[in-house]
Amino acid sequence: MNGAVACSEASEPIREELIARRMVNENNLRDRLETARAGGDFPSDEDPADWARYVVSIGLGMAVRAASGASREELQRVVDVALRGWPTLPR
């Protein structure tokens, strides 16, 4: 992903396709979080688009780390830290 995003003009169609696919995933997650919010399963004061962007960014970063040799345990620790910030419903 990173290589394609930073590629030359000759590879522009590949870059655009990868960006479009990422946006589909992000939009699908945003839609799901909006549904959860409407159903009371996601805090009403949180922005689903912000959280979708955050989750996709964490996933992309983890993919880069995995490709660079990060262990499963290291990646799990990233997930653990990211989930500490996940919004919770008031009790």
Side-chain angles (χ1 to χ4, degrees), residues 2-75:
N2 286 346
V5 172
C7 61
S8 69
E9 287 183 31
S11 300
E12 185 65 20
I14 295 169
R15 177 182 176 275
E16 290 174 5
E17 178 64 23
L18 289 171
I19 290 170
R21 288 181 187 206
R22 181 186 55 80
M23 289 307 302
V24 166
N25 291 334
E26 187 174 312
N27 291 337
N28 287 340
L29 180 55
R30 183 204 63 224
D31 292 347
R32 178 61 186 96
L33 292 175
E34 287 174 351
T35 300
R37 185 173 65 176
D41 293 327
F42 191 78
S44 61
D45 60 340
E46 294 289 346
D47 184 350
D50 288 343
W51 282 100
R53 194 174 308 108
Y54 170 74
V55 169
V56 168
S57 296
I58 294 294
L60 291 171
M62 290 176 64
V64 170
R65 291 191 58 82
S68 299
S71 69
R72 180 181 180 93
E73 292 78 21
E74 289 172 314
L75 297 173

